[in-house]
Amino acid sequence: MAVVPAELEGAFEEGIGFDGSAIEGFSRIAESDNIARPDPSTFQIMPFPETPEGHLSARMFCDIVMPDGQPSWADPRQVLRRQMKKAADQGFTCYVHPEIEFFLLKENSPTEHPEPADMGGYFDQAVSQEAPGFRSQAMSTLERMGISVEFSHHETAPGQQEIDLRYADALSMADNVMTFRYLIRQVARRNGVRATFMPKPFADYAGSAMHTHMSLFEGEENAFHDPDDEMRLSSTGRSFIAGILHHASELTAVTNQWVNSYKRITSGDEAPRAAAWGASNRSALIRLPMYTQNKAASRRVEIRSPDSACNPYLAYTVLLAAGLKGIKEGYELPSPAEEDVSHMTRRERIAAGYTDLPGDLNQALREMERSELVADALGEHVFEFFLRNKWREWHEYQSQITPWELKNNLPF
């Protein structure tokens, strides 16, 4: 919602009331009064003028509370904050660093047949088609909003970009991801192209991931680092990985929440098909980066299943919950995968002891429905509404008759 400057003081003191029943999943009509309380720590001046006169606006994220002042169970920021509190109770602070991929499309290309804005390839710096200055403008815009960027580059597919954000605590990073998506679309529009975070818009090209690096710190010490281990990975880090691997199928509906998400997972192209881990292995669900293995602060794990269209608050919540459970219960980490898991047959993956990730949203939702861990992490309210919405999406998808079906089945 937009607030004029004169009302800002009142918004800080009392919040701003809104109809929660008008937002899917927030509240029932008999409990519709919700309050948005702006979080002043998220105040940032927007980089684009809002009026022809050049007037600027600022943005803040809000926490959602009930009229009695209690946090709303439907607030995704609160869902993640609860999980971060559980981590703090175990002595940990969680830091996250995402690699966000997305496509730039020609502005006038039809939705049914999108066209990439360039024909560049991996690390291609010679691209000079529709939006040659896009990435430098995007990085500058993000930095002006207080979002630290590590680097950017062209990804493998035509029109596909990647921008990596510098690490931050999980809640701040989830806010940054939401801001990132908004700003990227704005910069794209100003360059005469469109940006999409759809997981796999092209059948012939790799999809867009949000590879997520996570680490836990105990004060100033990285809990994942062990200088005496061959991989410089502590027992805490091993149990954290084991927790995510063990619960991977239960989490997938959250980290990959769209019907289209599974076109990316099942296609290979460095998207994980099974719950395996490995050092430097980009075909595994969890990769242990080995660039700076001797630098204690840099020891982290990279989870490669989330896509760029996930809800970052909920995705970080379930990943952190699974990792913490692995630590608390002392899960044992299996042997690392040294082969290309994506090119193994299903029988080969089973023989190697790898559990396949769900192959479609239907299977992922069935796994999530049985998960006590996800229900506890999200809370009953969000858990139930998430499943309700996603089952509806799946059933709508099932009712469609696709061009492929007409082409291959109509003659019969």
Side-chain angles (χ1 to χ4, degrees):
M1 63 186 74
V3 179
V4 296
E7 297 298 320
L8 195 56
E9 185 175 350
F12 280 127
E13 291 180 355
E14 301 175 0
I16 300 175
F18 68 96
D19 178 6
S21 67
I23 302 174
E24 181 69 31
F26 256 60
S27 56
R28 297 176 295 184
I29 195 166
E31 306 164 334
S32 60
D33 287 347
N34 285 181
I35 299 170
R37 292 192 180 277
D39 180 349
S41 69
T42 65
F43 181 94
Q44 286 289 346
I45 300 293
M46 299 298 288
F48 307 119
E50 292 293 322
T51 67
E53 294 78 20
H55 294 159
L56 293 172
S57 63
R59 76 98 167 92
M60 282 179 284
F61 285 88
C62 292
D63 293 314
I64 310 304
V65 299
M66 308 303 290
D68 63 1
Q70 293 299 311
S72 168
W73 287 97
D75 181 3
R77 296 183 91 233
Q78 180 62 20
V79 171
L80 178 53
R81 192 179 279 118
R82 288 199 309 267
Q83 196 60 49
M84 293 172 67
K85 172 64 165 55
K86 291 181 179 180
D89 291 343
Q90 290 183 232
F92 300 121
T93 302
C94 177
Y95 291 99
V96 179
H97 146 54
E99 303 173 357
I100 309 176
E101 298 173 350
F102 56 94
F103 279 90
L104 294 181
L105 309 175
K106 291 183 178 180
E107 186 174 32
N108 297 321
S109 62
T111 301
E112 298 81 3
H113 302 287
E115 297 180 60
D118 64 65
M119 295 306 294
Y122 191 68
F123 265 33
D124 194 340
Q125 295 298 317
V127 175
S128 59
Q129 288 168 264
E130 301 290 331
F134 169 82
R135 284 205 308 274
S136 62
Q137 292 179 36
M139 292 174 70
S140 175
T141 300
L142 291 165
E143 291 281 350
R144 293 206 304 274
M145 282 288 290
I147 299 176
S148 298
V149 178
E150 287 196 340
F151 53 80
S152 74
H153 61 84
H154 199 288
E155 257 296 337
T156 56
Q160 191 178 35
Q161 319 293 321
E162 177 180 311
I163 298 180
D164 295 7
L165 304 185
R166 184 170 175 77
Y167 73 91
D169 69 87
L171 181 59
S172 297
M173 185 55 71
D175 287 343
N176 287 347
V177 171
M178 298 300 291
T179 305
F180 178 97
R181 291 174 182 163
Y182 172 79
L183 292 176
I184 290 299
R185 291 190 178 99
Q186 294 296 317
V187 175
R189 187 174 296 117
R190 283 164 168 77
N191 277 266
V193 294
R194 288 185 294 154
T196 178
F197 295 91
M198 182 178 180
K200 191 169 172 61
F202 298 102
D204 297 333
Y205 304 136
S208 291
M210 188 173 74
H211 300 149
T212 298
H213 298 247
M214 301 184 76
S215 59
L216 297 180
F217 273 68
E218 296 175 293
E220 299 296 320
E221 300 296 322
N222 187 344
F224 284 0
H225 184 260
D226 180 355
D228 299 323
D229 181 76
E230 180 182 3
M231 295 184 179
R232 307 297 187 267
L233 182 64
S234 69
S235 59
T236 298
R238 290 177 179 274
S239 293
F240 186 89
I241 295 173
I244 295 177
L245 292 179
H246 183 79
H247 297 284
S249 294
E250 306 164 39
L251 315 178
T252 302
V254 180
T255 58
N256 307 86
Q257 66 167 330
W258 305 102
V259 166
N260 180 255
S261 298
Y262 298 86
K263 304 294 177 70
R264 167 182 165 258
I265 286 179
T266 58
S267 69
D269 292 321
E270 295 189 0
R273 289 186 172 184
W277 78 284
S280 300
N281 189 342
R282 283 179 164 79
S283 70
L285 170 64
I286 300 179
R287 188 177 79 92
L288 195 64
M290 303 300 285
Y291 302 123
T292 55
Q293 57 180 308
N294 293 317
K295 186 178 179 181
S298 296
R299 175 41 74 222
R300 60 194 187 275
V301 300
E302 178 188 339
I303 302 103
R304 297 177 62 81
S305 56
D307 58 49
S308 297
C310 72
N311 181 316
Y313 302 99
L314 304 187
Y316 294 165
T317 294
V318 296
L319 290 171
L320 179 56
L324 290 176
K325 186 171 184 179
I327 294 171
K328 186 176 182 179
E329 299 189 7
Y331 285 12
E332 291 291 328
L333 186 63
S335 300
E338 298 180 352
E339 57 278 295
D340 187 339
V341 180
S342 63
H343 286 162
M344 298 171 70
T345 65
R346 182 172 178 274
R347 292 179 63 185
E348 289 173 336
R349 292 194 296 271
I350 292 173
Y354 308 143
T355 301
D356 276 2
L357 298 179
D360 56 37
L361 185 59
N362 169 62
Q363 185 182 355
L365 293 174
R366 293 182 187 278
E367 294 284 350
M368 178 177 167
E369 280 183 326
R370 295 191 289 265
S371 175
E372 294 182 7
L373 179 136
V374 177
D376 179 68
L378 298 183
E380 181 181 356
H381 183 97
V382 173
F383 182 75
E384 293 297 332
F385 268 96
F386 186 98
L387 286 169
R388 184 184 306 179
N389 278 332
K390 289 303 166 181
W391 275 124
R392 182 177 61 198
E393 179 182 328
W394 173 252
H395 294 146
E396 289 176 356
Y397 173 72
Q398 276 190 310
S399 70
Q400 303 301 307
I401 307 301
T402 66
W404 187 94
E405 292 171 280
L406 293 173
K407 177 183 176 182
N408 288 276
N409 301 147
L410 193 61
F412 292 97

